[in-house]
Amino acid sequence: MNKVILIGRLTADPNLRYTQNGTPVTTFTLAVDKPFADEDGKRGADFIDIVAWRKLAEVVAQNITKGRLVAVEGRLQIRSYDDQNGIRRKAAEVIANEVKFLDRPKQEQTSEPEEPGWGEPEFDEVPF
């Protein structure tokens, strides 16, 4: 089984492009906090490359920007390629199956109370 679930913040705006046959592909990097602190008490982050294809690529590119908090579910892919000097390299990236937006864009954040969560519904009037 090859399944990866990550929660982190985008380090830059997503990059949407199209393959030669017109298939949309978006790439972005996710900064994921490490679960432990270093000797100075600071928590570092891992920077993980994410790739989204087709409709998900377009949705991601149109709706999230640098700094947004997202959850990514996908699979780990390791690929090999030759760099410009002819040296064989490997790249690790997560191919996203699902991307969930976990916060709101800054312009939409207000001081209004949060929406009710899961639990008892709130009614202003009794419905019967």
Side-chain angles (χ1 to χ4, degrees), residues 59-102:
V59 169
V60 165
Q62 293 169 4
N63 290 290
I64 59 174
T65 55
K66 178 180 178 178
R68 293 286 306 275
L69 183 66
V70 299
V72 175
E73 181 273 320
R75 64 180 174 81
L76 181 64
Q77 173 177 279
I78 310 294
R79 60 183 174 84
S80 297
Y81 65 96
D82 293 329
D83 71 9
Q84 57 200 24
N85 298 322
I87 299 172
R88 193 74 170 160
R89 303 276 184 188
K90 285 189 175 185
E93 56 200 9
V94 172
I95 306 302
N97 294 329
E98 187 174 357
V99 176
K100 292 197 179 213
F101 311 141
L102 300 179

Side-chain angles (χ1 to χ4, degrees), residues 12-33:
D13 290 347
N15 178 21
L16 174 64
R17 61 187 195 285
Y18 294 87
T19 64
Q20 289 180 349
N21 66 357
T23 304
V25 59
T26 295
T27 56
F28 59 95
T29 300
L30 204 60
V32 179
D33 289 337

